[in-house]
Amino acid sequence: MPTDKTRYHQPQPPADPDQEYMTVQETAYVLQASTNWIRRLLRDNPHLCGRNGNKRIVINREQRAAIHAIRSGGDPRTGRSIPSQRRRPAARTRAAVAA
């Protein structure tokens, strides 16, 4: 386990992307997500992870596939498939100013 806490919260590339079990940091790297997002998801869905004897969270292939399905399902906060875009206010025209 890293002693530097900044490395603990950063995604890290796995030694082998096809390995059976990965840590949270390796899973975050593979799924291109933050470790905080992965940890929040696993806190709310404890069936998507396991723990080894050292109390490290490990995730197998099936669990990674389920996490990927949740992640690609859209924004869970609003239920939208695509996050909404901010719209710029319409530019003022001379006709609108004259009226």
Side-chain angles (χ1 to χ4, degrees), residues 44-89:
D44 297 338
N45 301 295
H47 63 281
L48 293 178
C49 69
R51 295 183 186 272
N52 67 3
N54 297 332
K55 297 183 181 179
R56 291 183 75 183
I57 297 172
V58 292
I59 302 162
N60 65 19
R61 287 184 185 146
E62 292 81 19
Q63 293 164 338
R64 280 195 304 273
I67 292 170
H68 176 70
I70 291 170
R71 181 164 169 75
S72 61
D75 189 359
R77 296 169 291 184
T78 60
R80 296 182 182 179
S81 60
I82 299 174
S84 63
Q85 299 281 327
R86 289 188 179 178
R87 295 187 181 177
R88 301 179 103 188

Short mmCIF file of all heavy atoms in Angstrom, two decimals, residues 44-89:
data_model
loop_
_atom_site.label_atom_id
_atom_site.label_comp_id
_atom_site.label_asym_id
_atom_site.label_seq_id
_atom_site.Cartn_x
_atom_site.Cartn_y
_atom_site.Cartn_z
N ASP A 44 -22.07 2.48 -2.26
CA ASP A 44 -23.51 2.33 -2.46
C ASP A 44 -23.90 0.96 -3.01
O ASP A 44 -25.04 0.54 -2.90
CB ASP A 44 -24.02 3.42 -3.40
CG ASP A 44 -23.83 4.81 -2.83
OD1 ASP A 44 -23.70 4.94 -1.59
OD2 ASP A 44 -23.78 5.78 -3.63
N ASN A 45 -22.95 0.27 -3.65
CA ASN A 45 -23.20 -1.05 -4.24
C ASN A 45 -22.12 -2.03 -3.76
O ASN A 45 -21.23 -2.40 -4.52
CB ASN A 45 -23.17 -0.96 -5.77
CG ASN A 45 -24.20 -0.01 -6.31
OD1 ASN A 45 -25.38 -0.24 -6.18
ND2 ASN A 45 -23.74 1.07 -6.91
N PRO A 46 -22.18 -2.49 -2.52
CA PRO A 46 -21.11 -3.34 -1.99
C PRO A 46 -20.98 -4.69 -2.70
O PRO A 46 -19.94 -5.33 -2.60
CB PRO A 46 -21.48 -3.53 -0.52
CG PRO A 46 -22.92 -3.21 -0.43
CD PRO A 46 -23.22 -2.24 -1.54
N HIS A 47 -22.00 -5.10 -3.45
CA HIS A 47 -21.90 -6.38 -4.17
C HIS A 47 -20.97 -6.29 -5.37
O HIS A 47 -20.62 -7.31 -5.96
CB HIS A 47 -23.29 -6.82 -4.62
CG HIS A 47 -23.93 -5.89 -5.60
ND1 HIS A 47 -24.54 -4.71 -5.21
CD2 HIS A 47 -24.02 -5.93 -6.95
CE1 HIS A 47 -24.99 -4.08 -6.27
NE2 HIS A 47 -24.70 -4.81 -7.35
N LEU A 48 -20.52 -5.08 -5.74
CA LEU A 48 -19.64 -4.91 -6.89
C LEU A 48 -18.16 -4.99 -6.54
O LEU A 48 -17.32 -4.68 -7.38
CB LEU A 48 -19.93 -3.57 -7.58
CG LEU A 48 -21.29 -3.45 -8.25
CD1 LEU A 48 -21.46 -2.08 -8.85
CD2 LEU A 48 -21.44 -4.52 -9.32
N CYS A 49 -17.83 -5.36 -5.32
CA CYS A 49 -16.41 -5.47 -4.97
C CYS A 49 -16.23 -6.55 -3.90
O CYS A 49 -17.18 -7.02 -3.30
CB CYS A 49 -15.86 -4.14 -4.46
SG CYS A 49 -16.49 -3.64 -2.86
N GLY A 50 -14.99 -6.92 -3.72
CA GLY A 50 -14.62 -7.87 -2.69
C GLY A 50 -13.42 -7.32 -1.95
O GLY A 50 -12.85 -6.30 -2.31
N ARG A 51 -13.03 -8.00 -0.90
CA ARG A 51 -11.86 -7.57 -0.12
C ARG A 51 -10.96 -8.78 0.08
O ARG A 51 -11.43 -9.88 0.30
CB ARG A 51 -12.27 -6.99 1.22
CG ARG A 51 -13.08 -5.72 1.09
CD ARG A 51 -13.41 -5.15 2.45
NE ARG A 51 -14.29 -4.03 2.35
CZ ARG A 51 -13.90 -2.77 2.19
NH1 ARG A 51 -12.64 -2.49 2.10
NH2 ARG A 51 -14.77 -1.80 2.11
N ASN A 52 -9.65 -8.51 0.02
CA ASN A 52 -8.74 -9.59 0.31
C ASN A 52 -8.33 -9.51 1.77
O ASN A 52 -8.83 -8.69 2.52
CB ASN A 52 -7.53 -9.58 -0.64
CG ASN A 52 -6.64 -8.37 -0.44
OD1 ASN A 52 -6.88 -7.56 0.44
ND2 ASN A 52 -5.62 -8.26 -1.26
N GLY A 53 -7.41 -10.32 2.20
CA GLY A 53 -7.03 -10.38 3.61
C GLY A 53 -6.43 -9.09 4.15
O GLY A 53 -6.46 -8.84 5.34
N ASN A 54 -5.88 -8.25 3.28
CA ASN A 54 -5.27 -7.00 3.73
C ASN A 54 -6.25 -5.83 3.76
O ASN A 54 -5.84 -4.69 3.82
CB ASN A 54 -4.09 -6.64 2.81
CG ASN A 54 -3.01 -7.68 2.88
OD1 ASN A 54 -2.85 -8.35 3.88
ND2 ASN A 54 -2.26 -7.83 1.80
N LYS A 55 -7.54 -6.11 3.67
CA LYS A 55 -8.60 -5.11 3.64
C LYS A 55 -8.55 -4.21 2.41
O LYS A 55 -9.09 -3.14 2.40
CB LYS A 55 -8.58 -4.25 4.91
CG LYS A 55 -8.83 -5.02 6.17
CD LYS A 55 -8.88 -4.11 7.37
CE LYS A 55 -9.10 -4.90 8.62
NZ LYS A 55 -9.11 -4.08 9.80
N ARG A 56 -7.86 -4.65 1.37
CA ARG A 56 -7.84 -3.91 0.12
C ARG A 56 -9.06 -4.29 -0.69
O ARG A 56 -9.47 -5.44 -0.73
CB ARG A 56 -6.58 -4.23 -0.68
CG ARG A 56 -5.34 -3.70 -0.03
CD ARG A 56 -4.13 -3.95 -0.88
NE ARG A 56 -4.13 -3.02 -2.00
CZ ARG A 56 -3.22 -3.05 -2.95
NH1 ARG A 56 -2.27 -3.95 -2.94
NH2 ARG A 56 -3.26 -2.18 -3.93
N ILE A 57 -9.62 -3.31 -1.36
CA ILE A 57 -10.77 -3.57 -2.22
C ILE A 57 -10.26 -4.12 -3.54
O ILE A 57 -9.39 -3.53 -4.17
CB ILE A 57 -11.57 -2.27 -2.45
CG1 ILE A 57 -12.12 -1.76 -1.13
CG2 ILE A 57 -12.68 -2.50 -3.45
CD1 ILE A 57 -12.75 -0.40 -1.22
N VAL A 58 -10.78 -5.25 -3.95
CA VAL A 58 -10.42 -5.85 -5.23
C VAL A 58 -11.68 -6.04 -6.06
O VAL A 58 -12.76 -6.28 -5.52
CB VAL A 58 -9.67 -7.19 -5.06
CG1 VAL A 58 -8.30 -6.97 -4.45
CG2 VAL A 58 -10.47 -8.17 -4.23
N ILE A 59 -11.52 -5.92 -7.36
CA ILE A 59 -12.66 -5.98 -8.27
C ILE A 59 -12.31 -6.96 -9.38
O ILE A 59 -11.27 -6.85 -10.01
CB ILE A 59 -12.94 -4.58 -8.84
CG1 ILE A 59 -13.20 -3.60 -7.69
CG2 ILE A 59 -14.10 -4.60 -9.81
CD1 ILE A 59 -13.07 -2.17 -8.06
N ASN A 60 -13.20 -7.94 -9.62
CA ASN A 60 -12.92 -8.91 -10.68
C ASN A 60 -13.55 -8.46 -12.00
O ASN A 60 -14.17 -7.41 -12.09
CB ASN A 60 -13.36 -10.32 -10.27
CG ASN A 60 -14.85 -10.44 -10.11
OD1 ASN A 60 -15.61 -9.63 -10.60
ND2 ASN A 60 -15.28 -11.47 -9.39
N ARG A 61 -13.40 -9.27 -13.04
CA ARG A 61 -13.85 -8.90 -14.38
C ARG A 61 -15.36 -8.65 -14.45
O ARG A 61 -15.81 -7.69 -15.07
CB ARG A 61 -13.48 -9.98 -15.38
CG ARG A 61 -12.03 -10.03 -15.68
CD ARG A 61 -11.75 -11.06 -16.75
NE ARG A 61 -10.31 -11.16 -16.94
CZ ARG A 61 -9.69 -12.27 -17.24
NH1 ARG A 61 -10.36 -13.39 -17.37
NH2 ARG A 61 -8.40 -12.27 -17.39
N GLU A 62 -16.14 -9.54 -13.86
CA GLU A 62 -17.60 -9.38 -13.91
C GLU A 62 -18.04 -8.11 -13.20
O GLU A 62 -18.94 -7.41 -13.66
CB GLU A 62 -18.30 -10.60 -13.28
CG GLU A 62 -18.13 -11.89 -14.07
CD GLU A 62 -16.79 -12.57 -13.81
OE1 GLU A 62 -16.15 -12.27 -12.78
OE2 GLU A 62 -16.39 -13.40 -14.63
N GLN A 63 -17.41 -7.81 -12.08
CA GLN A 63 -17.75 -6.60 -11.35
C GLN A 63 -17.34 -5.36 -12.14
O GLN A 63 -18.06 -4.36 -12.15
CB GLN A 63 -17.08 -6.61 -9.98
CG GLN A 63 -17.63 -7.70 -9.07
CD GLN A 63 -16.74 -7.99 -7.89
OE1 GLN A 63 -15.54 -7.72 -7.91
NE2 GLN A 63 -17.31 -8.58 -6.85
N ARG A 64 -16.19 -5.41 -12.83
CA ARG A 64 -15.78 -4.28 -13.67
C ARG A 64 -16.76 -4.07 -14.80
O ARG A 64 -17.07 -2.93 -15.18
CB ARG A 64 -14.37 -4.51 -14.22
CG ARG A 64 -13.29 -4.21 -13.24
CD ARG A 64 -11.94 -4.08 -13.89
NE ARG A 64 -11.52 -5.23 -14.67
CZ ARG A 64 -10.90 -6.29 -14.18
NH1 ARG A 64 -10.62 -6.35 -12.89
NH2 ARG A 64 -10.54 -7.28 -14.96
N ALA A 65 -17.27 -5.15 -15.37
CA ALA A 65 -18.27 -5.02 -16.45
C ALA A 65 -19.54 -4.38 -15.93
O ALA A 65 -20.15 -3.54 -16.60
CB ALA A 65 -18.57 -6.39 -17.05
N ALA A 66 -19.96 -4.73 -14.70
CA ALA A 66 -21.15 -4.11 -14.11
C ALA A 66 -20.91 -2.63 -13.82
O ALA A 66 -21.79 -1.79 -14.03
CB ALA A 66 -21.54 -4.86 -12.84
N ILE A 67 -19.71 -2.29 -13.34
CA ILE A 67 -19.38 -0.88 -13.08
C ILE A 67 -19.38 -0.10 -14.39
O ILE A 67 -19.89 1.02 -14.47
CB ILE A 67 -18.03 -0.76 -12.36
CG1 ILE A 67 -18.13 -1.33 -10.95
CG2 ILE A 67 -17.56 0.69 -12.31
CD1 ILE A 67 -16.80 -1.48 -10.24
N HIS A 68 -18.85 -0.70 -15.45
CA HIS A 68 -18.83 -0.05 -16.75
C HIS A 68 -20.26 0.19 -17.25
O HIS A 68 -20.55 1.24 -17.82
CB HIS A 68 -18.04 -0.87 -17.76
CG HIS A 68 -18.06 -0.31 -19.13
ND1 HIS A 68 -17.40 0.85 -19.46
CD2 HIS A 68 -18.69 -0.72 -20.26
CE1 HIS A 68 -17.61 1.13 -20.74
NE2 HIS A 68 -18.38 0.19 -21.24
N ALA A 69 -21.14 -0.78 -17.04
CA ALA A 69 -22.53 -0.62 -17.47
C ALA A 69 -23.20 0.53 -16.71
O ALA A 69 -23.96 1.31 -17.30
CB ALA A 69 -23.30 -1.92 -17.26
N ILE A 70 -22.92 0.66 -15.43
CA ILE A 70 -23.47 1.76 -14.65
C ILE A 70 -22.91 3.08 -15.15
O ILE A 70 -23.63 4.06 -15.33
CB ILE A 70 -23.17 1.58 -13.15
CG1 ILE A 70 -23.97 0.40 -12.60
CG2 ILE A 70 -23.48 2.84 -12.37
CD1 ILE A 70 -23.57 -0.01 -11.21
N ARG A 71 -21.61 3.11 -15.40
CA ARG A 71 -20.95 4.35 -15.83
C ARG A 71 -21.43 4.79 -17.21
O ARG A 71 -21.61 5.97 -17.46
CB ARG A 71 -19.44 4.16 -15.85
CG ARG A 71 -18.68 5.39 -16.27
CD ARG A 71 -17.23 5.28 -15.89
NE ARG A 71 -16.43 6.30 -16.48
CZ ARG A 71 -16.40 7.57 -16.09
NH1 ARG A 71 -17.15 7.94 -15.09
NH2 ARG A 71 -15.62 8.44 -16.67
N SER A 72 -21.67 3.86 -18.11
CA SER A 72 -22.09 4.24 -19.46
C SER A 72 -23.60 4.44 -19.55
O SER A 72 -24.10 4.77 -20.61
CB SER A 72 -21.63 3.19 -20.47
OG SER A 72 -22.21 1.94 -20.16
N GLY A 73 -24.31 4.25 -18.45
CA GLY A 73 -25.75 4.43 -18.44
C GLY A 73 -26.20 5.86 -18.38
O GLY A 73 -27.39 6.14 -18.44
N GLY A 74 -25.30 6.81 -18.26
CA GLY A 74 -25.68 8.21 -18.21
C GLY A 74 -25.43 8.80 -16.85
O GLY A 74 -24.80 8.20 -15.98
N ASP A 75 -25.95 9.98 -16.66
CA ASP A 75 -25.76 10.72 -15.42
C ASP A 75 -26.79 10.23 -14.40
O ASP A 75 -27.97 10.50 -14.55
CB ASP A 75 -25.93 12.21 -15.68
CG ASP A 75 -25.56 13.06 -14.49
OD1 ASP A 75 -25.18 12.48 -13.45
OD2 ASP A 75 -25.63 14.28 -14.59
N PRO A 76 -26.37 9.48 -13.36
CA PRO A 76 -27.34 8.92 -12.42
C PRO A 76 -28.02 9.97 -11.56
O PRO A 76 -29.08 9.73 -11.00
CB PRO A 76 -26.50 7.97 -11.56
CG PRO A 76 -25.13 8.51 -11.65
CD PRO A 76 -25.01 9.13 -13.02
N ARG A 77 -27.46 11.17 -11.46
CA ARG A 77 -28.06 12.19 -10.61
C ARG A 77 -29.34 12.74 -11.20
O ARG A 77 -30.27 13.07 -10.51
CB ARG A 77 -27.07 13.33 -10.38
CG ARG A 77 -25.84 12.88 -9.61
CD ARG A 77 -24.81 13.93 -9.65
NE ARG A 77 -24.31 14.03 -11.03
CZ ARG A 77 -23.34 14.81 -11.42
NH1 ARG A 77 -22.75 15.60 -10.57
NH2 ARG A 77 -22.94 14.83 -12.67
N THR A 78 -29.40 12.82 -12.54
CA THR A 78 -30.58 13.41 -13.17
C THR A 78 -31.37 12.42 -13.99
O THR A 78 -32.47 12.73 -14.42
CB THR A 78 -30.15 14.58 -14.08
OG1 THR A 78 -29.28 14.07 -15.09
CG2 THR A 78 -29.47 15.67 -13.30
N GLY A 79 -30.83 11.25 -14.26
CA GLY A 79 -31.52 10.27 -15.06
C GLY A 79 -31.41 10.54 -16.55
O GLY A 79 -32.04 9.87 -17.35
N ARG A 80 -30.61 11.52 -16.94
CA ARG A 80 -30.45 11.82 -18.35
C ARG A 80 -29.37 10.93 -18.95
O ARG A 80 -28.43 10.55 -18.28
CB ARG A 80 -30.03 13.28 -18.54
CG ARG A 80 -31.06 14.25 -18.07
CD ARG A 80 -30.59 15.65 -18.33
NE ARG A 80 -31.59 16.58 -17.83
CZ ARG A 80 -31.45 17.88 -17.89
NH1 ARG A 80 -30.37 18.41 -18.41
NH2 ARG A 80 -32.38 18.67 -17.44
N SER A 81 -29.51 10.64 -20.24
CA SER A 81 -28.51 9.82 -20.89
C SER A 81 -27.26 10.63 -21.22
O SER A 81 -26.17 10.11 -21.27
CB SER A 81 -29.07 9.19 -22.16
OG SER A 81 -29.49 10.20 -23.04
N ILE A 82 -27.43 11.92 -21.46
CA ILE A 82 -26.31 12.79 -21.77
C ILE A 82 -26.42 14.03 -20.88
O ILE A 82 -27.50 14.61 -20.79
CB ILE A 82 -26.32 13.22 -23.24
CG1 ILE A 82 -26.22 11.99 -24.14
CG2 ILE A 82 -25.22 14.20 -23.56
CD1 ILE A 82 -26.38 12.29 -25.61
N PRO A 83 -25.35 14.45 -20.23
CA PRO A 83 -25.43 15.67 -19.43
C PRO A 83 -25.83 16.86 -20.29
O PRO A 83 -25.44 16.97 -21.45
CB PRO A 83 -24.02 15.84 -18.88
CG PRO A 83 -23.41 14.50 -18.96
CD PRO A 83 -24.04 13.83 -20.13
N SER A 84 -26.66 17.73 -19.74
CA SER A 84 -27.14 18.88 -20.51
C SER A 84 -26.00 19.86 -20.77
O SER A 84 -25.09 20.02 -19.98
CB SER A 84 -28.27 19.58 -19.78
OG SER A 84 -27.80 20.08 -18.55
N GLN A 85 -26.09 20.52 -21.90
CA GLN A 85 -25.10 21.52 -22.29
C GLN A 85 -25.55 22.89 -21.81
O GLN A 85 -26.74 23.21 -21.82
CB GLN A 85 -24.97 21.55 -23.82
CG GLN A 85 -24.51 20.24 -24.41
CD GLN A 85 -23.02 20.07 -24.26
OE1 GLN A 85 -22.28 21.02 -24.30
NE2 GLN A 85 -22.59 18.83 -24.08
N ARG A 86 -24.61 23.70 -21.41
CA ARG A 86 -24.95 25.07 -21.07
C ARG A 86 -25.20 25.84 -22.35
O ARG A 86 -24.51 25.67 -23.34
CB ARG A 86 -23.82 25.74 -20.30
CG ARG A 86 -23.68 25.20 -18.92
CD ARG A 86 -22.69 26.02 -18.17
NE ARG A 86 -22.57 25.53 -16.82
CZ ARG A 86 -21.76 26.03 -15.93
NH1 ARG A 86 -20.98 27.03 -16.25
NH2 ARG A 86 -21.70 25.54 -14.73
N ARG A 87 -26.19 26.71 -22.31
CA ARG A 87 -26.50 27.49 -23.50
C ARG A 87 -26.07 28.93 -23.28
O ARG A 87 -26.27 29.49 -22.22
CB ARG A 87 -27.99 27.45 -23.79
CG ARG A 87 -28.44 26.06 -24.14
CD ARG A 87 -29.85 26.05 -24.58
NE ARG A 87 -30.25 24.68 -24.89
CZ ARG A 87 -31.45 24.34 -25.24
NH1 ARG A 87 -32.39 25.24 -25.34
NH2 ARG A 87 -31.72 23.09 -25.52
N ARG A 88 -25.50 29.49 -24.32
CA ARG A 88 -25.09 30.87 -24.25
C ARG A 88 -26.32 31.75 -24.50
O ARG A 88 -27.18 31.40 -25.29
CB ARG A 88 -24.04 31.17 -25.31
CG ARG A 88 -22.82 30.29 -25.14
CD ARG A 88 -21.84 30.57 -26.20
NE ARG A 88 -20.79 31.38 -25.60
CZ ARG A 88 -19.82 31.95 -26.26
NH1 ARG A 88 -19.77 31.86 -27.56
NH2 ARG A 88 -18.90 32.64 -25.63
N PRO A 89 -26.40 32.88 -23.84
CA PRO A 89 -27.55 33.76 -24.09
C PRO A 89 -27.50 34.28 -25.53
O PRO A 89 -26.43 34.46 -26.11
CB PRO A 89 -27.36 34.89 -23.08
CG PRO A 89 -25.94 34.82 -22.65
CD PRO A 89 -25.50 33.41 -22.83
#
